[in-house]
Amino acid sequence: MLFESPTGRRVDVFECPKPRQFLNFPPTSFDFFLPESPATSMGSYCNSSSVSVAAHTFAAEIPDFLTEEECKLIVHLAKLKGLQKSQILPTEDYEEAMEMIEISQMDIFNLLDHNQDGQLQLKEVLTHTRLGNGRWMTPENIREMYTAVKADPDGNGVLSLEEFKQLNIRDFHKYMGSQKVKMSDLVRNSQHTWLYQGEGAHQVMRAIRQRVMRLTRLPPEIVEHSEPLQVVRYDQGGHYHAHMDSGPVFPETACSHTKLVANESAPFETSCRYVTVLFYLNNVTGGGETVFPIADNRTYEEMSLIQNDIDLRDTRKNCDKGNLRVKPQQGTAVFWYNYLSDGEGWVGELDDFALHGGCLVTQGTKWIANNWINVDPNRRRQQQFQQEMERFAGSEAGPGAGAPGEWTVDKAYSGVHLEL
Ligand SMILES: [Ca+2]
Ligand SMILES: [Ca+2]
């Protein structure tokens, strides 16, 4: 199988021995393909016969996926559209917001005490990044906080239940609210915008969508009804700590893209991004690699991400300790799956090994773009969504209807762009 890049470079791709099963849309089964080249070394390969079914990350690096001109055009279009901060500084009303949450101190303790040993270890507190209200918490930050609110009187670095009970949660909230936070203290320090790729879009945007269809081998209607292209700019000092592109699959969770058509009032909403295709739009002078801290690990344990004060998710400090790093190179695409299979040809559980982040840009500016392919783990909801999208497109596509796709996609994805 050959995948032809826009520069005319033909890279050999071959059928993989299926480390996992992926979406199986009738009538064809969609195996995935990889370029065969030493330059594609990353993560576990499907050409390695030792790859087991679920314990590995699959990711592929494809050089020259975009031409230099295409990269420049995307950056140009993004600038014309205007970029916005990917994350804003925490609001002043932190205390107020926290007081709205009705949860007892005992419940908080139990929630945090992951290993249920009756003590809160530093990493147990750190893992709950939401405590930082958008601020990235480091071990040092936690220690400073303990000192400020006198949380750990015996100074052993862990909070016993007794110590926790003595703690006035309001003091903690007050302390958090009083902290001066810089952009570099946030989970994410970048700017982004969205570029439409549907019918009627710029020919280059259309061409890239078509290319992504060929690369992922997913049904065209799935790719066509996915999110617009996200273009991201990281200036010097920019980063994005390790995260998942997609949310976990719980029965009470709805996917943002299918929520409206499925007419469900689920309490939680998340982006459902089956595949990520990330494009590097420029060469970065210093830093800015994409890191997969635990790619290819044999096992996953949430708490093992933080050891001896080293938080592997921290892309400002610990990128060099990540298992897999991809250096930005203009035109290269990196492609991976965010979910495992459910064993029946559909999306299963979230793949924890797909955890990744953007390393600190030490010099220059980094431009990337993301194409996410949205699939609802609930097959029925995805099918309903597809049908609705087809119906909208059909009813709008009368004579002189202009670009029907834009309206449809915008409607379906309004509100999707929540930050993870
Ligand atoms: Ca514990
Ligand atoms: Ca203690």
Side-chain angles (χ1 to χ4, degrees):
M1 209 39 214
L2 287 171
F3 178 81
E4 188 169 328
S5 79
T7 50
R9 170 175 167 166
R10 287 160 75 87
V11 271
D12 274 330
V13 290
F14 55 89
E15 198 167 338
C16 299
K18 276 203 199 167
R20 311 173 194 155
Q21 287 196 320
F22 291 104
L23 291 186
N24 189 3
F25 287 81
T28 330
S29 84
F30 292 85
D31 298 326
F32 59 87
F33 297 83
L34 262 182
E36 186 185 26
S37 145
T40 62
S41 61
M42 150 166 199
S44 70
Y45 274 136
C46 64
N47 62 352
S48 150
S49 54
S50 64
V51 169
S52 64
V53 172
H56 282 69
T57 317
F58 167 82
E61 189 181 349
I62 305 114
D64 293 327
F65 191 85
L66 302 177
T67 65
E68 188 182 341
E69 290 68 35
E70 286 169 339
C71 291
K72 285 180 175 167
L73 180 92
I74 296 171
V75 170
H76 180 68
L77 292 176
K79 284 179 179 169
L80 282 180
K81 182 141 189 204
L83 293 97
Q84 61 188 57
K85 282 196 174 77
S86 302
Q87 192 188 339
I88 51 167
L89 290 169
T91 50
E92 305 259 315
D93 51 14
Y94 176 79
E95 272 182 79
E96 214 173 292
M98 292 307 284
E99 294 200 354
M100 300 284 287
I101 300 170
E102 286 178 25
I103 180 165
S104 78
Q105 203 144 332
M106 195 62 204
D107 286 343
I108 298 176
F109 189 90
N110 285 326
L111 197 74
L112 294 175
D113 185 14
H114 190 265
N115 65 356
Q116 297 288 302
D117 68 348
Q119 308 258 17
L120 295 187
Q121 282 79 14
L122 203 69
K123 59 173 145 184
E124 290 177 329
V125 179
L126 269 177
T127 304
H128 287 265
T129 43
R130 281 178 199 282
L131 291 174
N133 188 32
R135 178 190 181 190
W136 182 258
M137 300 294 278
T138 64
E140 299 81 67
N141 295 150
I142 300 281
R143 288 201 191 90
E144 283 162 21
M145 181 180 78
Y146 284 179
T147 308
V149 303
K150 302 184 175 64
D152 182 24
D154 68 4
N156 68 347
V158 298
L159 301 188
S160 64
L161 180 56
E162 282 312 305
E163 285 171 328
F164 196 78
K165 275 190 195 155
Q166 298 298 314
L167 188 65
N168 187 344
I169 293 288
R170 276 170 185 243
D171 290 345
F172 160 74
H173 292 160
K174 240 182 220 148
Y175 171 79
M176 289 303 295
S178 71
Q179 289 294 293
K180 286 276 163 282
V181 178
K182 303 185 294 291
M183 290 305 289
S184 56
D185 297 327
L186 300 181
V187 174
R188 187 176 185 190
N189 181 13
S190 64
Q191 298 174 60
H192 72 264
T193 192
W194 301 88
L195 296 179
Y196 174 68
Q197 283 183 290
E199 278 176 50
H202 191 288
Q203 56 171 2
V204 167
M205 303 304 290
R206 293 295 296 152
I208 294 167
R209 179 152 271 180
Q210 301 294 325
R211 222 173 286 157
V212 166
M213 278 176 204
R214 291 202 301 277
L215 171 75
T216 58
R217 302 242 137 200
L218 289 170
E221 60 274 22
I222 294 268
V223 180
E224 199 65 88
H225 293 144
S226 287
E227 284 169 83
L229 185 75
Q230 186 193 53
V231 185
V232 192
R233 174 191 165 128
Y234 295 86
D235 289 317
Q236 189 169 322
H239 73 275
Y240 191 174
H241 291 305
H243 61 278
M244 299 296 296
D245 278 352
S246 207
V249 183
F250 298 124
E252 63 273 23
T253 304
C255 294
S256 308
H257 76 287
T258 55
K259 196 182 174 184
L260 277 180
V261 287
N263 201 20
E264 281 176 27
S265 49
F268 302 106
E269 186 180 327
T270 184
S271 293
C272 297
R273 293 159 167 169
Y274 174 56
V275 160
T276 300
V277 188
L278 182 155
F279 311 105
Y280 296 112
L281 303 177
N282 72 333
N283 296 314
V284 183
T285 318
E289 300 91 341
T290 304
V291 67
F292 294 76
I294 51 167
D296 249 3
N297 272 8
R298 289 280 151 186
T299 55
Y300 175 80
E301 219 283 279
E302 192 181 16
M303 289 300 149
S304 67
L305 287 166
I306 308 163
Q307 278 177 7
N308 305 325
D309 264 17
I310 293 169
D311 186 344
L312 287 176
R313 303 167 307 165
D314 191 321
T315 57
R316 295 186 71 84
K317 289 186 180 153
N318 300 321
C319 263
D320 58 327
K321 298 173 190 71
N323 283 354
L324 187 64
R325 284 183 303 285
V326 189
K327 193 175 149 51
Q329 180 157 23
Q330 189 176 53
T332 291
V334 185
F335 152 50
W336 69 89
Y337 297 91
N338 295 306
Y339 290 89
L340 301 168
S341 164
D342 71 349
E344 291 169 23
W346 200 255
V347 178
E349 295 294 304
L350 198 63
D351 184 355
D352 298 313
F353 297 94
L355 184 80
H356 64 282
C359 302
L360 177 68
V361 176
T362 54
Q363 210 179 356
T365 300
K366 169 186 170 187
W367 285 91
I368 60 159
N370 292 301
N371 250 159
W372 286 297
I373 314 298
N374 305 99
V375 179
D376 193 323
N378 180 316
R379 197 168 187 155
R380 181 187 54 78
R381 288 202 306 236
Q382 179 67 29
Q383 278 161 351
Q384 227 176 324
F385 170 73
Q386 296 297 142
Q387 282 161 5
E388 276 306 288
M389 295 301 270
E390 297 302 329
R391 204 171 61 80
F392 276 133
S395 64
E396 292 280 302
E406 182 144 26
W407 179 83
T408 319
V409 174
D410 280 357
K411 191 171 172 70
Y413 286 98
S414 63
V416 165
H417 306 144
L418 49 104
E419 309 312 331
L420 289 167

